[in-house]
Amino acid sequence: MSIAPAIPHVIDRATCTALDAADPLAGHRELFDLPEGVVYLDGNSLGALPRATAARVQRVIAEEWGTGLIRSWNDAGWFTKPIDLGDRIAPLIGAAAGEVVLGDSTSGSLFQVAVAAARLRPERRVIVSELGNFPTDLYVLESVQELVGEPGRPLERRLIGGDGIPGPTLADVLDDDVAVVVLTHVNYRTGRMYDMNEVTRQVQAAGAIMVWDLCHSVGAVPVDLNGAGADFAIGCTYKYLNGGPGSPSFIWAAERHHPEARPAITAWHGHAKPFDFDVEYAPAPGITRFRVGTPQLLSVAALEASLDIWRDVDLELLREKSLRLTELFISLVDSRLAPWGIEVVTPRQSARRGSQVALRAGGADGYAVMQALIERGVIGDFRAPDLMRFGFTPLYVSHADVWDAVATLEDILSTEVWRDSRFARRGAVT
Amino acid sequence: MSIAPAIPHVIDRATCTALDAADPLAGHRELFDLPEGVVYLDGNSLGALPRATAARVQRVIAEEWGTGLIRSWNDAGWFTKPIDLGDRIAPLIGAAAGEVVLGDSTSGSLFQVAVAAARLRPERRVIVSELGNFPTDLYVLESVQELVGEPGRPLERRLIGGDGIPGPTLADVLDDDVAVVVLTHVNYRTGRMYDMNEVTRQVQAAGAIMVWDLCHSVGAVPVDLNGAGADFAIGCTYKYLNGGPGSPSFIWAAERHHPEARPAITAWHGHAKPFDFDVEYAPAPGITRFRVGTPQLLSVAALEASLDIWRDVDLELLREKSLRLTELFISLVDSRLAPWGIEVVTPRQSARRGSQVALRAGGADGYAVMQALIERGVIGDFRAPDLMRFGFTPLYVSHADVWDAVATLEDILSTEVWRDSRFARRGAVT
């Protein structure tokens, strides 16, 4: 239960610092090493560095690797880390112990899971996703369509619209041919959030398998996969979970699917008896069969340090603060940036919003505005063709940060400094 | 060119220290943090810790992640690291710049490559490998057979024997149906090395695609993929390259295959324009198309530190020292351990030997003997059912280490201390 006050009608910076003073999660900011003078609103792309991470990784390097050497596979528990850390992610997504395991990259894990999902509906030949999905999900599904289908006859793809993109609805495309539906719970561009319960119900009522991509959800919004009765999910740990650049993805499979699930890649870490060195593959029981090869243990170590923080986080307070931050941001944008035609693209209805807000820059060049913001220490990012994205990580973003971000944005717009040639487009990276 | 003397006929410990004194690679040992009192002969499973690694990873954590945050994708060159480090692995395997890229786990990379290889021979329906291969290769190929084949009609598998395992020869199984041959250059159990030129020629003469697994070769023996005219290869970096536990694998594809190659998993890091966020996949030119998702950058950082060492290594000297170490070990085993029936399983012909030696323990229990060795600081490993493995990493193993290892082994055998119940079998890890 939150003890923080609601956002008052008239807001100034003092209001924001008062909200911070009453914020029960404010103390968590001290657990992160944020650079001086930076307002970091890109934790939805790469989470900030937890203070405990460096020492933890150092210990793994010096003691477990340097001194323990090969013995650490057993003595330091390296072999079971992907399962052990999966169990620590489980409570964040409404999963049970033994249902979650670490994977390689998020794309690799989606491949692993989507093939398993499609194989549960061998008579059906359609995979559904959405035009506005993060593109790698669509690219990965192209592989799945081709490999699960017959040579020269890949599975069919149907992409729904929504979230501002024209296209058919989910109801339009669901029929007896749909094997799998893969949707991203919180949209990477707009922050729009699906109703997981309702969509899962709709998909399963059509006889299809529901796969959720939780990249922009885990650690940001409440997720209850078992509550929704979903089938499979994958997610990343380097955004709101702060596992570090490229930290391992995770895979969730509902326990009821474990006995029959046949993931794409069968490899030795998913084998029932990996050290018997049998010639034939035999799947391990449970979620372990989704494992592929040797985990990248330094990245795993950083993730472990970041997961320590999550032991103490009240997920209800987290969601309350997240909504307070995004609501505050939206109301400040509305009240102060109206003269420049700045448009809030993210749903205003809180139940449909993740922990990020996207703005369309009106008459300004959103790319250049974002570069000018970054130069002044307000770090968000830009998504082509025209969205400025701001992520609000409740563990380390303060209400005063939100104030300062909007004030800086206002100054950049009013002075038109963004027109300076040094802010013109070059490349961009997620 | 080596200035070290050949191994004399009568050997004592002083002979070994003299060989060390004359060893042009002896100085490299100082680049590694080896624990006091340990003779580390398991670098063929997990390489030792380079002294520079900890600081390098610390810098990536504190500066690139902690301070640079999302900006480091561009500013610290994170996005192109898998290509940049691929270029640094290239000279170690006879590859050209632009032909090598980092992957996820080795198993994942074999999957990525084996599918691409099979797709180059769509009219053929057989994948060849060997009974004695590292099992995960066979498990991964089962996935490839099933996914590349038609539903209910997977590609066929033919496994050759050899290396002490009964079975057909390569000549026996090669015919017009064989699409791909996947062999491990240096066998993980016995250290037996294939003639890469000859085998590649034989496979390609039958119209098949040659895929080499270099896990036990790279950094241990000379490899010349382009010299052999091979098609594809994968390898791991945590053994002789010392990249750290689970450090990323690499993929090599001969440049002639780049334009047509279609890897298994199509994902955004392999897209021609990853930041255009197109709905359709379009493969990047060159080796980049083999990339999948976001690289695990802390593990990549450790690999980068270890590759710095390889800039200065003369690969001819490396091979000379490797052979001197294995020859010394074999001759000491022959001369001192004969009374206990210890058998050298690894080929005595140097051209057929990698950088490791496997022993069969005669009347003793090899597992228990290895545990007793490890307790005394001589670290090798055991591979069921009956092999003791000893890896000789020329960069940090000395001739005196070899002497001490055999002397310790002799003591354990002669005192029969290995019969103690504390050395009895439990689990074992690679």
Side-chain angles (χ1 to χ4, degrees):
Chain A
M1 289 275 293
S2 170
I3 54 162
I7 299 167
H9 229 63
V10 179
I11 313 165
D12 57 14
R13 197 172 193 283
T15 320
C16 294
T17 54
L19 287 167
D20 287 333
D23 172 14
L25 288 176
H28 281 81
R29 187 182 176 108
E30 289 311 305
L31 302 176
F32 294 87
D33 250 332
L34 284 159
E36 271 310 302
V38 160
V39 173
Y40 192 57
L41 304 180
D42 213 1
N44 53 321
S45 190
L46 174 65
L49 169 63
R51 280 195 202 281
T53 300
R56 166 79 200 170
V57 175
Q58 247 359 69
R59 184 156 65 79
V60 171
I61 291 176
E63 294 174 25
E64 297 184 7
W65 175 13
T67 303
L69 290 160
I70 192 66
R71 297 167 289 200
S72 290
W73 277 105
N74 291 316
D75 298 351
W78 283 353
F79 199 79
T80 56
K81 283 283 174 206
I83 295 287
D84 299 341
L85 299 196
D87 282 347
R88 289 174 59 187
I89 291 170
L92 305 177
I93 56 175
E99 285 188 327
V100 183
V101 67
L102 300 187
D104 286 329
S105 68
T106 314
S107 296
S109 287
L110 177 58
F111 181 80
Q112 189 72 329
V113 155
V115 168
R119 283 173 167 170
L120 291 175
R121 293 291 180 271
E123 305 310 311
R124 296 176 168 219
R125 295 196 34 87
V126 175
I127 293 181
V128 168
S129 191
E130 55 183 326
L131 285 156
N133 207 341
F134 189 67
T136 200
D137 287 23
L138 304 180
Y139 305 157
V140 167
L141 293 178
E142 287 190 38
S143 311
V144 175
Q145 291 163 242
E146 176 150 10
L147 286 166
V148 174
E150 296 160 42
R153 192 171 169 247
L155 300 186
E156 187 191 326
R157 173 169 88 168
R158 296 179 190 161
L159 298 180
I160 65 173
D163 203 30
I165 300 175
T169 67
L170 188 55
D172 291 340
V173 300
L174 284 178
D175 63 23
D176 288 355
D177 266 352
V178 176
V180 181
V181 176
V182 178
L183 296 173
T184 298
H185 182 220
V186 172
N187 187 270
Y188 80 105
R189 293 168 67 252
T190 66
R192 182 269 302 130
M193 182 163 72
Y194 278 116
D195 181 332
M196 182 176 281
N197 291 338
E198 172 54 26
V199 172
T200 300
R201 193 204 54 72
Q202 190 182 358
V203 165
Q204 292 176 342
I209 298 287
M210 183 71 229
V211 178
W212 287 106
D213 178 337
L214 302 177
C215 282
H216 292 269
S217 309
V218 60
V221 299
V223 177
D224 187 358
L225 289 164
N226 278 321
D231 297 290
F232 297 96
I234 55 102
C236 100
T237 64
Y238 51 76
K239 298 180 187 291
Y240 295 96
L241 295 188
N242 313 299
S247 59
S249 65
F250 63 85
I251 288 172
W252 170 79
E255 196 184 358
R256 67 182 178 279
H257 291 311
H258 292 187
E260 282 179 277
R262 296 199 301 118
I265 308 177
T266 51
W268 71 304
H269 283 240
H271 195 282
K273 294 181 175 176
F275 296 101
D276 279 9
F277 296 102
D278 284 338
V279 170
E280 307 292 338
Y281 179 76
I287 193 69
T288 300
R289 66 180 57 183
F290 283 85
R291 291 183 67 175
V292 180
T294 307
Q296 299 192 31
L297 282 153
L298 302 190
S299 289
V300 169
L303 173 59
E304 186 163 22
S306 71
L307 288 175
D308 285 345
I309 292 173
W310 289 93
R311 291 189 198 274
D312 300 324
V313 175
D314 178 326
L315 296 177
E316 247 181 79
L317 288 182
L318 187 86
R319 176 61 170 166
E320 280 179 27
K321 181 173 176 187
S322 161
L323 287 176
R324 215 159 51 236
L325 292 169
T326 52
E327 196 185 320
L328 174 63
F329 184 76
I330 289 171
S331 83
L332 287 171
V333 168
D334 283 346
S335 62
R336 301 186 54 178
L337 306 185
W340 297 280
I342 303 295
E343 177 195 348
V344 174
V345 174
T346 301
R348 288 164 184 274
Q349 188 194 349
S350 61
R352 296 278 68 77
R353 189 166 72 232
S355 201
Q356 66 187 68
V357 177
L359 303 180
R360 204 168 274 130
D365 174 353
Y367 179 85
V369 171
M370 183 52 74
Q371 300 315 307
L373 273 170
I374 291 170
E375 192 188 67
R376 296 197 185 180
V378 178
I379 302 180
D381 61 25
F382 179 77
R383 278 294 168 265
D386 62 355
L387 293 187
M388 298 187 288
R389 288 198 313 179
F390 300 89
F392 300 89
T393 302
L395 294 186
Y396 53 75
V397 172
S398 69
H399 301 82
D401 282 341
V402 174
W403 175 271
D404 294 341
V406 177
T408 307
L409 193 45
E410 184 179 9
D411 187 62
I412 286 166
L413 291 166
S414 66
T415 60
E416 300 200 2
V417 65
W418 59 267
R419 293 188 188 275
D420 192 290
S421 63
R422 74 182 183 282
F423 301 128
R425 290 181 201 231
R426 330 166 256 136
V429 172
T430 198
Chain B
M1 290 275 291
S2 170
I3 54 163
I7 300 168
H9 230 63
V10 179
I11 313 163
D12 56 16
R13 197 171 194 281
T15 320
C16 294
T17 55
L19 287 166
D20 287 333
D23 172 15
L25 288 175
H28 281 80
R29 187 182 176 108
E30 289 310 305
L31 302 174
F32 294 86
D33 250 333
L34 284 160
E36 272 308 304
V38 161
V39 173
Y40 192 55
L41 303 181
D42 212 3
N44 53 320
S45 189
L46 174 65
L49 169 62
R51 280 195 204 279
T53 300
R56 167 78 201 173
V57 175
Q58 249 356 71
R59 183 156 67 77
V60 171
I61 291 175
E63 294 174 24
E64 297 184 8
W65 175 13
T67 303
L69 289 161
I70 192 67
R71 298 168 289 201
S72 290
W73 277 105
N74 291 315
D75 298 350
W78 284 353
F79 201 78
T80 55
K81 282 285 172 204
I83 296 288
D84 299 340
L85 299 196
D87 283 347
R88 291 173 58 186
I89 291 169
L92 305 177
I93 56 175
E99 284 187 328
V100 183
V101 68
L102 299 187
D104 286 328
S105 67
T106 314
S107 296
S109 288
L110 176 59
F111 181 79
Q112 188 73 329
V113 155
V115 168
R119 283 173 167 169
L120 291 174
R121 293 291 180 272
E123 303 311 309
R124 296 176 168 220
R125 296 196 33 88
V126 174
I127 294 183
V128 168
S129 192
E130 55 183 327
L131 285 156
N133 207 342
F134 189 68
T136 200
D137 287 22
L138 303 180
Y139 304 157
V140 167
L141 293 178
E142 286 190 39
S143 310
V144 175
Q145 291 163 243
E146 175 150 12
L147 286 166
V148 174
E150 298 159 41
R153 192 172 168 246
L155 301 186
E156 189 192 327
R157 173 169 89 169
R158 295 180 191 161
L159 299 180
I160 64 173
D163 202 30
I165 300 175
T169 67
L170 187 55
D172 291 339
V173 300
L174 284 177
D175 63 23
D176 288 355
D177 264 352
V178 175
V180 182
V181 176
V182 178
L183 296 174
T184 298
H185 183 219
V186 173
N187 186 271
Y188 80 105
R189 293 168 66 253
T190 65
R192 182 268 304 129
M193 184 164 71
Y194 277 115
D195 180 333
M196 183 178 279
N197 292 339
E198 172 53 25
V199 172
T200 300
R201 193 204 54 69
Q202 189 182 357
V203 165
Q204 292 175 342
I209 299 287
M210 183 72 227
V211 178
W212 286 107
D213 177 337
L214 303 177
C215 283
H216 292 270
S217 308
V218 59
V221 299
V223 177
D224 187 0
L225 289 164
N226 277 322
D231 297 290
F232 297 96
I234 54 104
C236 100
T237 64
Y238 51 75
K239 298 180 187 290
Y240 295 95
L241 296 187
N242 313 300
S247 59
S249 65
F250 64 85
I251 288 171
W252 170 80
E255 197 185 358
R256 67 183 179 279
H257 291 311
H258 291 186
E260 281 179 279
R262 297 199 301 117
I265 308 177
T266 51
W268 72 304
H269 283 241
H271 195 281
K273 295 180 174 175
F275 297 104
D276 280 9
F277 296 102
D278 286 337
V279 170
E280 306 293 337
Y281 180 75
I287 193 71
T288 300
R289 68 179 57 184
F290 283 86
R291 291 182 67 175
V292 180
T294 307
Q296 299 191 31
L297 283 152
L298 302 190
S299 289
V300 169
L303 174 58
E304 185 163 23
S306 71
L307 288 174
D308 285 345
I309 293 173
W310 289 92
R311 292 189 198 273
D312 300 325
V313 175
D314 179 326
L315 297 177
E316 248 181 76
L317 288 182
L318 187 86
R319 175 62 169 166
E320 280 180 25
K321 182 173 175 186
S322 161
L323 288 177
R324 214 159 51 236
L325 292 169
T326 52
E327 196 186 318
L328 174 64
F329 184 76
I330 290 170
S331 81
L332 286 170
V333 167
D334 282 346
S335 62
R336 302 186 53 176
L337 306 184
W340 298 280
I342 303 295
E343 176 195 350
V344 174
V345 174
T346 302
R348 288 164 184 274
Q349 186 193 350
S350 61
R352 295 279 68 78
R353 188 166 73 232
S355 201
Q356 67 187 68
V357 177
L359 305 180
R360 202 167 275 129
D365 174 352
Y367 178 86
V369 171
M370 183 54 74
Q371 301 315 307
L373 272 168
I374 292 170
E375 192 189 67
R376 295 197 186 181
V378 178
I379 303 180
D381 61 24
F382 179 77
R383 279 295 167 265
D386 63 355
L387 292 187
M388 297 187 289
R389 290 198 312 180
F390 300 89
F392 300 89
T393 302
L395 294 186
Y396 54 73
V397 172
S398 69
H399 301 81
D401 282 341
V402 175
W403 176 272
D404 293 341
V406 177
T408 308
L409 193 44
E410 185 178 9
D411 188 62
I412 286 167
L413 292 166
S414 65
T415 60
E416 300 201 1
V417 66
W418 59 267
R419 293 189 189 274
D420 191 289
S421 64
R422 73 183 184 280
F423 301 128
R425 291 183 200 230
R426 328 166 260 134
V429 173
T430 197

